[in-house]
Amino acid sequence: AVVSTQSTGEVILIGSEPTSEMTPFVREASNKYGVNIVYLQEYKPLGTAGGIFHFRDQIRKGNPTSFFVLNADVCCDFPLQEMLNSHLRHGRGDVITIMGTEVEKAHSSLYGCIVANDSNNNEVEHYVEKPETFVSNTINCGIYILGIGVLDHIKNLIQELQNRATSDSDSLGLERNILTKFAATKRLFVYRHHGFWSAVKTPGTAVFSSQFYLSRQRSLNPEVLASGANIIGDVLIHPTAKVSPTAVLGPNVTIGANTVVRDGVRIKHAIVLDGCTIESHACILYSVIGGGTNVGPWARIEGIPNNVNPNQPFAHVTNPSTFNEEGKLNPNITVLGHNTSISKGTMVLNSIILPYKDIGHSYKNVILL
């Protein structure tokens, strides 16, 4: 999405993961998309604004007038060019544009809430991050455009915090520390997005978001999707995967590289990552299967779908906590960590299994550490 935007010069990834772990991905993505991609490792978690300021010299390189900031845990159809056009109409180098969308009133307090003046270029008059009471059902999507002049405002705020002898003044959140101060100053605007958006914070939202991306492939690049008598709906199979013609896949299934799916297997609403082996007649429903996992014959891996009500305006997949008030697992997608082994005939229901586990009997509603 960023590469398709006009005048994209460079993509910078900022995080705390070791550079050695990110290098293969960065190299592959740079070659695939034909754009310079760099990864910058923080010396400690700095927050979104803190990370931007810490690497300000790299961001300023090439003299950009503005730059996108995208959180890594959101799924969207990313209308970035339209958002950029809206941002540039403000004609200033020290403004921020937030992408906003609407959610159900009951869920709005889980996000940053935006109050904007539609008659004044969608200027944000009030911004509250995860309020305790209802403020607005227009929420922050975690996608921004910052004018390059915003870096000076971040610098001034960090200096202000240092003068107060704040212990962690170089750690700075964009939402709580910057957006709240920019509201009602004619430097913060919202671009209203009416298409698909979801925060990806749980396995359920990951599977739901995968369904959206597969449906986009159906309309944009249908040739990459699988077809056949036993393929139902949108299914993506990596070219190196080996899938038995008797296996029934779909809808909403992704099969990773070098994975083997044997005879009689049934998979739907699931993500199966690289290097897995799904033995004969196994059944996988509403689950995420980590790389290198072996699911034995006649085993059943099943989660509980987190369905969206299609009749509810602004409905989105919610991100419930892992546990309910009684300390029990909330219904959710089942997750098998990488290099897990599931024995023949075993059932795993609504559970989270951490990596490198050998599962010899059935489990339901558990987390295995």
Side-chain angles (χ1 to χ4, degrees):
V2 174
V3 172
S4 63
T5 305
Q6 294 176 6
S7 305
T8 297
E10 185 175 53
V11 176
I12 298 175
L13 307 177
I14 299 176
S16 56
E17 295 296 322
T19 300
S20 58
E21 295 183 8
M22 295 296 294
T23 297
F25 168 77
V26 169
R27 185 186 302 115
E28 179 183 353
S30 296
N31 293 334
K32 181 177 180 178
Y33 296 108
V35 66
N36 186 40
I37 301 176
V38 296
Y39 174 70
L40 304 176
Q41 182 183 353
E42 299 172 321
Y43 64 93
K44 67 173 184 177
L46 295 174
T48 303
I52 290 170
F53 183 73
H54 183 71
F55 295 111
R56 60 194 179 279
D57 291 339
Q58 289 89 335
I59 293 172
R60 283 191 170 119
K61 188 171 63 176
N63 299 315
T65 58
S66 56
F67 57 97
F68 284 97
V69 176
L70 291 79
N71 289 342
D73 59 352
V74 297
C75 170
C76 183
D77 48 8
F78 296 106
L80 300 186
Q81 186 61 54
E82 295 85 348
M83 184 180 177
L84 178 60
N85 295 341
S86 175
H87 175 81
L88 295 176
R89 282 196 289 270
H90 302 306
R92 293 176 54 181
D94 63 345
V95 301
I96 299 175
T97 299
I98 315 174
M99 182 181 292
T101 191
E102 295 189 30
V103 298
E104 300 167 66
K105 179 178 178 179
H107 299 144
S108 61
S109 61
L110 299 173
Y111 308 96
C113 293
I114 301 166
V115 178
N117 188 339
D118 294 346
S119 62
N120 190 21
N121 295 320
N122 285 316
E123 181 191 351
V124 176
E125 298 180 338
H126 187 51
Y127 180 86
V128 185
E129 183 67 15
K130 298 178 181 176
E132 295 182 2
T133 60
F134 176 74
V135 172
S136 168
N137 66 341
T138 300
I139 59 122
N140 178 358
C141 291
I143 300 170
Y144 316 90
I145 303 177
L146 277 62
I148 199 67
V150 174
L151 292 175
D152 294 327
H153 292 284
I154 297 176
K155 176 182 178 180
N156 293 337
L157 181 57
I158 287 180
Q159 289 177 340
E160 178 184 332
L161 294 174
Q162 289 174 340
N163 292 336
R164 295 178 187 171
T166 302
S167 60
D168 199 17
S169 57
D170 51 354
S171 180
L172 204 65
L174 182 63
E175 296 82 4
R176 294 187 185 276
N177 297 110
I178 304 299
L179 300 186
T180 52
K181 292 182 178 294
F182 268 48
T185 65
K186 299 187 184 301
R187 293 180 305 190
L188 184 61
F189 300 87
V190 61
Y191 169 79
R192 297 185 183 276
H193 176 51
H194 302 289
F196 176 82
W197 176 87
S198 176
V200 184
K201 298 182 182 296
T202 66
T205 51
V207 172
F208 178 75
S209 298
S210 176
Q211 179 176 347
F212 166 74
Y213 283 129
L214 290 176
S215 68
R216 278 180 64 84
Q217 294 292 348
R218 174 68 63 188
S219 59
L220 298 176
N221 302 295
E223 67 279 1
V224 306
L225 297 178
S227 59
N230 287 332
I231 300 296
I232 302 170
D234 298 329
V235 175
L236 181 65
I237 301 174
H238 193 277
T240 61
K242 297 180 180 179
V243 178
S244 167
T246 65
V248 180
L249 275 56
N252 183 24
V253 169
T254 300
I255 304 295
N258 301 308
T259 285
V260 177
V261 180
R262 303 201 189 278
D263 294 342
V265 166
R266 178 68 174 109
I267 305 176
K268 74 174 183 178
H269 294 288
I271 301 171
V272 182
L273 297 177
D274 299 350
C276 294
T277 300
I278 314 301
E279 300 289 357
S280 299
H281 305 289
C283 180
I284 299 174
L285 312 173
Y286 301 102
S287 300
V288 177
I289 309 300
T293 289
N294 182 280
V295 178
W298 297 100
R300 185 180 184 93
I301 313 300
E302 184 173 358
I304 299 174
N306 191 346
N307 292 323
V308 174
N309 181 358
N311 298 315
Q312 179 69 46
F314 319 126
H316 290 75
V317 171
T318 58
N319 292 282
S321 60
T322 303
F323 300 98
N324 60 24
E325 294 179 353
E326 298 176 354
K328 297 180 180 180
L329 271 177
N330 276 317
N332 212 324
I333 299 297
T334 286
V335 179
L336 302 185
H338 61 82
N339 295 95
T340 299
S341 179
I342 307 296
S343 297
K344 177 180 180 180
T346 299
M347 183 178 78
V348 180
L349 174 64
N350 187 38
S351 296
I352 299 174
I353 311 297
L354 270 64
Y356 301 106
K357 295 290 183 295
D358 293 328
I359 305 302
H361 59 272
S362 298
Y363 288 97
K364 179 180 179 180
N365 302 328
V366 300
I367 296 180
L368 288 185
L369 301 178

